[in-house]
Amino acid sequence: MTQTFRKLGVAGLGAALAAGTLGAAEAQRPMQLEDLFDLSSVGSIAVQPGGDQVAYVRYEMRDVVEGEADGTPVSSLHVASGPNTSRLFIEDRSIGGLDWRDGERLTFTSSPEDGPTALFEIPANGGEARELFAHDTAIRAYAFAPDGDTLFFIAPDEGGEHEETLHDRGFRANIYEEDMTYSRVWRVDLSEDEAEAVVFELDGHAGDLVVSPDGEHLAVALSATPLVDDLYMETRWSIVDAASGEVGATFETPGKLGQGAFSPDGDYFAFMAGVDRADSVAQTVHVGNVSSGTFEILARDAEQHGVDLAWQNDNSLAVLVHTGLQSALVEYRRDGNETRRTVFSDFVARSMDRDAQSGRLALVADAPTHPGELFVSRRRDFERWTNSNDWLGEIAFGDQRGYSFETRDGVRVEGVLVTPRGEAPDGGWPLIMTVHGGPEAHDSNGWMTGYSRPGHIGAGKGFAVFYPNYRGSTGRGEAFIELDHQDGPGEEFNDLVDAIGALSEDGIVNANKAGITGASYGGFASAWGATIASEHFAASVPFVALTDLISFFGTTEIPVEMVDVHFMEYPWQAWESYLDHSPIRHAQGSTTPTLILHGEADTRVDPSQSYALYRYLKMTGEAPVRLVTYPGEGHGNRNAAAQYDYGLRMMRWFEHYLQGEGGEPPAHELPYGELLGLDD
């Protein structure tokens, strides 16, 4: 759809609706890829002490289709006081670290034009933001003591002597995994006229910090080094004396670590963590004794994934969990006894913030028909306070629901299914299987549409789109996660093939017109579908995909994490297994047309993985293959132009091979002159 038509569709239809000249059925239209670049969503939130207002950051896509400058989403700061009642405080500025210094002042981090990220504040009733504190290097995390003047923050070390001069003169060698910049914890008293920050002499790299309610202690997340593997697997919460900087207890958890919070009396620290070394995600609540460093694991056997937590009182916790395709708020006593569970049926909550004074709880949540919005509790009910995309009322969304089936070995697998409206045609719709990455992730029955995830865009073009939570996914507890260990992609890939069979048997999809796509581990599955399981897939679009596990281990930044929570053996312990589970090993004879995409700056999955798959399919396959790379993009496209290009290419590939004539691939050029209005 061209630029002009899209804008007439939104503005013109909106005017017609306001005038009452069109019926609802006539007014609605299918969702289009270009619509993504009109979207806004709520990100971080902070409840004002007392609970009357909630500050939030709104992110808006850059509409490169309409000629806006390329880049990542633009952020703005707002304060809401009720449903559809909010004020814009700051716009067109990078905003992070949102918090309240007290009930009267709102703080945030931002990057000034001429310096590193600094701390700013703005009055709760609006006005001009002012720089509160700047450090020699970027402030990455911060927290205030109860007095409101003592600031604790994390910032990286300064560069070496003459670093800037040497860089400018061309001396820019990188010493791999040795030339590392550590982050430290600092304290500064902002009540002093000439505030001088004092560094804490802690052993390791600081990643996060929390101040106890009485201000006497800090909890600091420390890892041995800044290496990504250490950040993932070797980070531990330590309790630090806020005055002396001395480390007391450390919670010696075995694996991955998540967020934490002190109890109101400061005696306990609750945090999310993996229950063992092989747990692929920090999903389970741990409650630790601040004095001794001992901890208890709460509800280890629950089929859920904990995503956020907050203390309600000294003996009670509220935990936001994902369970299956839904989310819920679960209340636990400190001993782990569950006292209440509130399941959210209308939306999927992603994060929360709770005010200790009023008990008011705010959520960021999305639903099948809208991305993230602000929801705020009134007693135990939640009201939606924001509507960031009222124009979505013009969209004729597809039908979205949960779908489950039984695999060949009797495991129940579920996922989210999006289809065109109405009954399926004879033989079923063509299918786009969209596989999440990780595999330590899951899809919930919320907002499912993005530049690499067809969702309602696909449904609007006549596709069924299925998002499977195959074994190894989160949301179903520890036991379900571990079903894929030492066998990826083995039985969990059979789950994807079995999904096609189940959907076909139910008359929903055409098994002969099945495509597959996904990023990272989802790209791994898509590459697998184009090679060893080529007979099941009529088209494949792997993104930032693992394709050769032996070379992947040698080039990724997370080799230890991949072994400890997935492969379970190092390559030299299982050469044949690594080779057999590599898509390139099975590329010969592939009959699946494959579009491969990758960011050229990817450090998680090196771009050579996609070059290898392309070459093997090109030399030994029997179907068209194309490789597209994106300069400057990493493990996923962050900038709007690269996202638009990706979405166009993906949808055109699937339309051509699942709905069209197939054969030779579509032209490698895209009609940007028409799409961007350049020919007008």
Side-chain angles (χ1 to χ4, degrees):
M1 185 165 63
T2 66
Q3 168 195 22
T4 304
F5 178 80
R6 182 167 69 89
K7 283 303 180 186
L8 286 174
V10 173
L13 284 176
L17 281 170
T21 58
L22 289 178
E26 294 176 289
Q28 288 189 322
R29 60 180 177 80
M31 191 168 193
Q32 309 251 359
L33 177 64
E34 290 80 3
D35 290 323
L36 295 180
F37 302 94
D38 276 339
L39 285 175
S40 299
S41 61
V42 172
S44 57
I45 57 175
V47 183
Q48 182 184 30
D52 291 336
Q53 300 185 103
V54 180
Y56 66 93
V57 177
R58 174 176 288 165
Y59 295 97
E60 299 178 34
M61 296 292 293
R62 294 178 185 263
D63 198 345
V64 291
V65 185
E66 290 297 326
E68 290 186 6
D70 187 27
T72 58
V74 177
S75 58
S76 55
L77 175 61
H78 304 251
V79 175
S81 55
N84 299 313
T85 305
S86 65
R87 293 174 295 158
L88 171 64
F89 274 36
I90 300 172
E91 61 182 338
D92 295 333
R93 184 170 183 171
S94 63
I95 298 169
L98 194 62
D99 202 358
W100 291 90
R101 188 177 180 187
D102 51 33
E104 303 300 324
R105 294 171 290 183
L106 182 62
T107 58
F108 61 94
T109 57
S110 186
S111 299
E113 294 182 2
D114 57 349
T117 299
L119 183 64
F120 292 79
E121 73 172 7
I122 190 169
N125 59 357
E128 292 294 323
R130 73 177 185 95
E131 186 176 280
L132 183 61
F133 180 76
H135 189 59
D136 293 332
T137 58
I139 295 175
R140 293 181 173 172
Y142 71 94
F144 281 97
D147 62 18
D149 288 322
T150 304
L151 171 69
F152 300 92
F153 65 94
I154 293 175
D157 292 337
E158 290 188 79
E161 188 178 9
H162 310 307
E163 180 181 23
E164 186 174 345
T165 299
L166 290 169
H167 182 274
D168 291 343
R169 293 176 63 174
F171 295 91
R172 302 171 187 173
N174 293 315
I175 300 87
Y176 186 60
E177 293 192 348
E178 291 186 52
D179 188 9
M180 296 179 287
T181 301
Y182 285 73
S183 290
R184 314 292 181 183
V185 176
W186 299 73
R187 182 186 66 236
V188 63
D189 186 351
L190 297 182
S191 66
E192 299 179 358
D193 291 336
E194 297 293 332
E196 183 175 347
V198 177
V199 67
F200 285 15
E201 298 297 334
L202 304 178
D203 186 18
H205 172 81
D208 198 4
L209 62 83
V210 183
V211 180
S212 64
D214 59 10
E216 294 184 1
H217 294 96
L218 308 178
V220 181
L222 291 169
S223 59
T225 76
L227 293 175
V228 177
D229 246 343
D230 283 344
L231 296 178
Y232 273 14
M233 303 303 297
E234 305 298 340
T235 301
R236 306 290 177 263
W237 281 111
S238 291
I239 304 300
V240 178
D241 186 284
S244 67
E246 293 183 4
V247 176
T250 295
F251 302 113
E252 297 290 353
T253 47
K256 292 187 175 179
L257 198 68
Q259 68 177 100
F262 280 98
S263 60
D265 60 14
D267 292 340
Y268 292 89
F269 187 72
F271 57 96
M272 308 301 298
V275 296
D276 56 34
R277 187 74 175 178
D279 197 348
S280 61
V281 67
Q283 65 174 341
T284 307
V285 179
H286 293 55
V287 177
N289 185 296
V290 168
S291 298
S292 67
T294 58
F295 57 85
E296 300 292 333
I297 301 175
L298 275 55
R300 175 172 181 170
D301 296 330
E303 286 201 6
Q304 62 189 29
H305 175 185
V307 296
D308 212 340
L309 59 81
W311 287 89
Q312 299 187 114
N313 54 54
D314 292 335
N315 194 46
S316 176
L317 284 159
V319 183
L320 181 62
V321 304
H322 285 188
T323 175
L325 304 178
Q326 295 180 302
S327 62
L329 187 66
V330 186
E331 297 175 42
Y332 290 105
R333 287 206 299 263
R334 199 180 65 220
D335 61 7
N337 187 25
E338 182 178 322
T339 58
R340 184 187 295 268
R341 179 176 291 255
T342 303
V343 178
F344 302 127
S345 57
D346 296 330
F347 55 75
V348 176
R350 306 291 179 176
S351 63
M352 68 179 185
D353 187 53
R354 182 181 185 275
D355 169 46
Q357 293 181 22
S358 64
R360 169 156 291 184
L361 192 65
L363 305 172
V364 176
D366 55 77
T369 56
H370 68 77
E373 299 285 6
L374 172 64
F375 289 75
V376 181
S377 63
R378 293 283 187 186
R379 297 182 176 87
R380 293 191 179 277
D381 295 326
F382 284 86
E383 291 181 301
R384 179 174 169 180
W385 276 23
T386 60
N387 181 12
S388 304
N389 306 281
D390 55 2
W391 61 269
L392 285 175
E394 302 170 5
I395 299 299
F397 288 100
D399 292 328
Q400 181 173 320
R401 67 262 194 201
Y403 179 86
S404 64
F405 61 96
E406 188 173 290
T407 67
R408 66 190 70 179
D409 58 348
V411 175
R412 181 180 64 86
V413 170
E414 58 188 8
V416 180
L417 178 64
V418 185
T419 65
R421 292 182 174 185
E423 296 295 323
D426 290 342
W429 288 293
L431 169 69
I432 302 176
M433 180 88 69
T434 306
V435 186
H436 67 70
E440 59 268 28
H442 63 275
D443 285 312
S444 301
N445 193 18
W447 182 254
M448 301 301 296
T449 305
Y451 78 95
S452 65
R453 296 162 63 78
H456 292 287
I457 296 170
K461 290 181 175 292
F463 293 96
V465 184
F466 185 54
Y467 301 83
N469 286 331
Y470 51 92
R471 68 190 75 193
S473 302
T474 56
R476 296 272 300 275
E478 176 191 359
F480 191 78
I481 281 178
E482 294 183 356
L483 289 178
D484 82 318
H485 284 187
Q486 208 170 0
D487 192 33
E491 291 179 342
E492 88 259 28
F493 187 80
N494 292 340
D495 294 347
L496 309 184
V497 174
D498 291 347
I500 298 174
L503 290 163
S504 176
E505 289 177 12
D506 288 342
I508 299 171
V509 307
N510 183 342
N512 295 319
K513 294 292 183 179
I516 185 170
T517 190
S520 193
Y521 202 89
F524 184 20
S526 302
W528 202 244
T531 55
I532 196 171
S534 180
E535 70 273 19
H536 296 288
F537 294 98
S540 177
V541 181
F543 185 32
V544 291
L546 294 70
T547 70
D548 174 9
L549 298 189
I550 294 175
S551 63
F552 165 74
F553 179 87
T555 55
T556 185
E557 62 193 356
I558 53 168
V560 174
E561 190 267 352
M562 287 302 299
V563 170
D564 285 359
V565 303
H566 298 302
F567 298 157
M568 315 310 292
E569 292 180 302
Y570 285 93
W572 50 89
Q573 297 171 316
W575 290 115
E576 287 301 319
S577 177
Y578 270 69
L579 185 58
D580 287 342
H581 286 84
S582 296
I584 61 168
R585 173 71 179 268
H586 310 284
Q588 187 171 1
S590 169
T591 58
T592 303
T594 303
L595 172 64
I596 308 166
L597 305 106
H598 214 121
E600 293 181 7
D602 191 353
T603 56
R604 184 62 46 85
V605 178
D606 192 85
S608 62
Q609 294 288 301
S610 284
Y611 283 103
L613 180 63
Y614 170 80
R615 187 62 65 203
Y616 277 84
L617 287 174
K618 186 80 170 179
M619 299 294 290
T620 68
E622 300 174 6
V625 58
R626 174 172 293 158
L627 172 62
V628 179
T629 64
Y630 294 97
E633 297 291 351
H635 199 56
N637 292 351
R638 299 178 66 248
N639 292 290
Q643 291 184 355
Y644 186 42
D645 186 274
Y646 180 103
L648 288 169
R649 294 183 187 280
M650 174 184 67
M651 291 309 303
R652 186 174 64 162
W653 197 263
F654 285 134
E655 290 176 72
H656 184 75
Y657 286 108
L658 303 182
Q659 294 177 326
E661 60 186 14
E664 290 300 309
H668 70 272
E669 304 95 341
L670 292 173
Y672 276 127
E674 175 188 359
L675 292 169
L676 302 181
L678 304 178
D679 295 337
D680 295 343

